[in-house]
Amino acid sequence: MEIAYQPYIDPEFESLLERIYPPRVCIDNDACQDCTLVKVDSANKHGILLEMVQVLTDLDLVISKSYISSDGVWFMDVFHVTDQLGIKITDESLILYIQQALCASRKEGISKELQNCLKREVRPPHVSMGHTALEITGTDRPGLLSEISAVLTQLECNVTAAVAWTHNTRAASIIYVEDKLRGGPITDLKRLAHVEEQLENVVDARHRVGEKRSVRLTTPVAGQTHTERRLHQLMYANMDYEPCRGCTETGVAHRRHCTKIHVSIESCKEKGYSVVNMRSRDRPKLLFDTLCALTDMQYVVFHAAVSSRGTMADQVWYMNSTEKDYARTITAKTENWKSLQEYFIRHKDGFTLDTECERHKLTQCLIAAVERRVSHGLRLDLCTHNRVGLLSDVTRVFRESGLSISRAEIGTQGDRAVGSFYVTDASGDEVNPQTIELVRKEIGGSILVVNKSPGWTPRTPSTRNISRSSSGSVGEDKPRFSLGSLFWSQLERLSNNFGSIRS
């Protein structure tokens, strides 16, 4: 018998560099008048940029600009952040948490003492980490969430948190449930199989042959994927990006004040990158959503420029999919309401996007990543005492009133259930105010409140018959200037800013 010998690699070796040179974080409130600078330098690894952005977004901080640079196995980042009101970060406990969270070992996580110091749990409100997670994908239809929650109630499963997205006729949801009688996650394998079987019957109903759908129950595990990133992965696996079309296909030219999503991909042969330019309306978590798409598609950001002003954001990304990845974001003057993004990238195998098929797919996926979180419909905020069957009762009233849920986020705060529903009529159009009043009266006027802030995004007639969510446009036109050249000219100056970083 032939014996094959293989070298032994210690599992701790991969994190050796990070342990020898842990991240150093500096919080600077003096450099800028209108924002706090979060400066980080650290050993580099694939996905670490997304992890850091995830920490900041989970704290409900707004990233208006970022400067990101890496060289080989090391990178340096600068994030311009404020709170939701546009105010600098001055809370000492929050500053300490940011420093510790960005430096924390991915295995050890954040200490309980630090979380207690912050006096609040840092996670999206629609996440319940200690309970069974139900992942569902399929074709969207009015009343789907109502049917799912009704079955869960009948099976004596209490919904503790839920988030649902719809985009391009597809739907994905992650629902956290606990055992109604015993509390905690469902651990009995036979019961898990029975619940999964019953839910599959609901999701399979009215599905055409060949349409993708899935139902999956998972028990809590340490280090599980961030819920919102997991939603991006589920929608991507459900191929919700396929209907996204570019301006070259629809004949829509780029206009100065166009509010649609524009993506163009070019080749930078002298540097060996593919250059991705994005322009879109700015909104919270835009950077996080974009990085989810790039990271999960195995692209690595070498250099990037992300800048927003007003309601639009500009992002410029320079990416590479090899292990030696680095990114830098450079400030640029942009239109008053836009976001510009320019990425220099390569695939994980080290190659650039040389084929039209690759460029087209990445274009579609970036548009989809931005659109999934865009809210279409009237926002209804829920706040009431939590009880078993609450989600089932509320969504049943929506379904019986002819309302369709385009997005939902429900969680708990103590003994209260809080969250938001974005609703349209069954055709995806704006809801009649009289219908909303009837719904509120049936559910309870103090339980469900109409959010008056702007949130409705009307859809064009060309997309109304295709999807209940709008499709963005992609511009293959070339940008008026390249932030790539600006990056190289500013590299030395920005690098000098890191001279006094302290941990």
Side-chain angles (χ1 to χ4, degrees):
M1 182 178 67
E2 183 179 355
I3 300 177
Y5 294 94
Q6 294 182 349
Y8 171 76
I9 300 177
D10 193 320
E12 296 295 324
F13 181 77
E14 293 183 359
S15 61
L16 178 61
L17 186 60
E18 184 178 355
R19 286 184 283 115
I20 295 176
Y21 302 105
R24 295 184 297 166
V25 181
C26 175
I27 310 297
D28 187 351
N29 269 316
D30 298 326
C32 293
Q33 295 181 350
D34 56 351
C35 66
T36 298
L37 268 60
V38 179
K39 303 178 181 180
V40 186
D41 66 38
S42 171
N44 199 11
K45 68 174 183 178
H46 182 60
I48 191 171
L49 175 59
L50 176 58
E51 292 177 3
M52 292 186 172
V53 171
Q54 178 181 306
V55 169
L56 298 176
T57 54
D58 282 349
L59 288 167
D60 292 328
L61 300 179
V62 177
I63 303 173
S64 58
K65 300 176 185 177
S66 60
Y67 302 86
I68 307 161
S69 174
S70 72
D71 184 7
V73 296
W74 201 260
F75 77 89
M76 298 179 292
D77 296 351
V78 179
F79 300 101
H80 293 231
V81 301
T82 64
D83 63 14
Q84 292 289 327
L85 300 177
I87 301 174
K88 286 185 176 184
I89 311 303
T90 56
D91 186 337
E92 290 297 331
S93 62
L94 179 56
I95 290 176
L96 177 62
Y97 184 91
I98 293 173
Q99 291 176 323
Q100 295 294 324
L102 294 179
C103 293
S105 168
R106 300 302 175 256
K107 293 183 179 180
E108 298 175 359
I110 309 300
S111 66
K112 292 184 178 180
E113 292 78 9
L114 185 58
Q115 293 185 14
N116 294 334
C117 177
L118 194 58
K119 298 180 180 179
R120 70 182 178 94
E121 193 172 3
V122 182
R123 60 176 175 83
H126 49 264
V127 173
S128 183
M129 302 303 294
H131 297 136
T132 303
L134 168 64
E135 299 178 354
I136 299 177
T137 62
T139 302
D140 186 28
R141 68 173 188 270
L144 178 59
L145 184 59
S146 174
E147 295 172 11
I148 291 171
S149 56
V151 170
L152 289 173
T153 301
Q154 292 174 359
L155 295 173
E156 298 185 330
C157 298
N158 181 33
V159 176
T160 57
V163 56
W165 288 357
T166 63
H167 178 242
N168 280 340
T169 72
R170 272 71 157 193
S173 60
I174 298 179
I175 303 174
Y176 294 92
V177 298
E178 65 176 354
D179 192 309
K180 175 183 174 182
L181 301 177
R182 302 178 182 178
I186 303 172
T187 56
D188 184 79
L189 297 180
K190 290 184 178 180
R191 189 177 179 197
L192 284 172
H194 178 64
V195 172
E196 189 170 307
E197 180 184 3
Q198 295 300 311
L199 291 172
E200 284 178 346
N201 293 334
V202 175
V203 177
D204 285 343
R206 289 182 276 174
H207 263 79
R208 293 188 293 269
V209 177
E211 288 183 333
K212 287 181 172 291
R213 68 267 197 189
S214 66
V215 176
R216 180 170 173 258
L217 279 164
T218 60
T219 55
V221 293
Q224 67 186 66
T225 305
H226 188 274
T227 299
E228 293 180 341
R229 180 180 179 184
R230 183 59 184 155
L231 275 170
H232 279 294
Q233 294 173 347
L234 292 174
M235 294 294 274
Y236 174 78
N238 204 16
M239 303 178 71
D240 73 313
Y241 57 86
E242 282 193 335
C244 294
R245 293 183 173 87
C247 290
T248 54
E249 296 178 26
T250 60
V252 180
H254 173 68
R255 298 185 297 274
R256 179 177 176 80
H257 296 292
C258 178
T259 59
K260 294 182 179 180
I261 304 165
H262 294 266
V263 178
S264 65
I265 302 177
E266 304 170 3
S267 177
C268 181
K269 294 182 179 180
E270 64 274 14
K271 299 297 181 182
Y273 303 122
S274 293
V275 185
V276 180
N277 289 273
M278 289 185 63
R279 176 166 294 186
S280 64
R281 182 179 292 278
D282 193 20
R283 61 164 175 76
K285 300 188 177 181
L286 176 63
L287 178 58
F288 173 80
D289 293 337
T290 306
L291 286 174
C292 281
L294 295 175
T295 304
D296 289 333
M297 293 182 72
Q298 301 300 307
Y299 290 105
V300 178
V301 178
F302 266 76
H303 314 292
V306 178
S307 177
S308 62
R309 184 176 299 179
T311 60
M312 297 296 287
D314 293 336
Q315 303 183 36
V316 184
W317 295 93
Y318 309 77
M319 312 184 312
N320 186 309
S321 303
T322 62
E323 294 181 357
K324 296 181 179 179
D325 61 322
Y326 59 99
R328 183 158 211 131
T329 305
I330 299 181
T331 310
K333 290 185 178 180
T334 62
E335 295 182 14
N336 200 26
W337 40 271
K338 286 200 172 182
S339 155
L340 176 64
Q341 312 168 39
E342 186 177 52
Y343 309 82
F344 279 49
I345 71 170
R346 296 181 199 141
H347 201 267
K348 192 172 185 178
D349 56 14
F351 292 95
T352 57
L353 284 77
D354 296 325
T355 67
E356 184 60 33
C357 181
E358 289 177 308
R359 290 191 290 267
H360 181 65
K361 182 177 180 179
L362 178 58
T363 295
Q364 289 178 310
C365 291
L366 288 173
I367 293 175
V370 174
E371 285 185 338
R372 287 169 191 148
R373 203 191 292 269
V374 174
S375 304
H376 299 282
L378 182 66
R379 174 176 167 178
L380 302 175
D381 292 334
L382 174 74
C383 183
T384 186
H385 179 75
N386 191 28
R387 59 177 173 81
V388 176
L390 176 64
L391 181 62
S392 176
D393 293 342
V394 172
T395 55
R396 174 186 55 81
V397 175
F398 289 163
R399 174 170 52 84
E400 293 175 350
S401 302
L403 300 183
S404 182
I405 300 173
S406 62
R407 186 160 73 94
E409 296 179 355
I410 305 298
T412 56
Q413 293 180 356
D415 62 348
R416 302 191 67 79
V418 296
S420 301
F421 298 93
Y422 292 84
V423 298
T424 67
D425 65 12
S427 300
D429 296 322
E430 194 167 0
V431 183
N432 189 316
Q434 295 180 350
T435 303
I436 294 297
E437 286 305 311
L438 292 175
V439 169
R440 291 185 65 242
K441 287 181 180 180
E442 184 169 353
I443 295 176
S446 60
I447 295 177
L448 205 63
V449 178
V450 178
N451 191 299
K452 300 295 184 180
S453 61
W456 172 259
T457 305
R459 292 171 298 152
T460 59
S462 60
T463 62
R464 185 167 295 171
N465 296 328
I466 299 175
S467 166
R468 289 172 42 245
S469 299
S470 66
S471 292
S473 297
V474 183
E476 296 295 337
D477 57 304
K478 295 184 179 181
R480 296 174 183 173
F481 64 94
S482 173
L483 292 181
S485 58
L486 180 60
F487 165 75
W488 298 111
S489 65
Q490 299 292 323
L491 178 59
E492 182 178 358
R493 179 181 66 82
L494 291 173
S495 299
N496 292 336
N497 290 340
F498 286 91
S500 61
I501 285 184
R502 54 182 174 82
S503 57

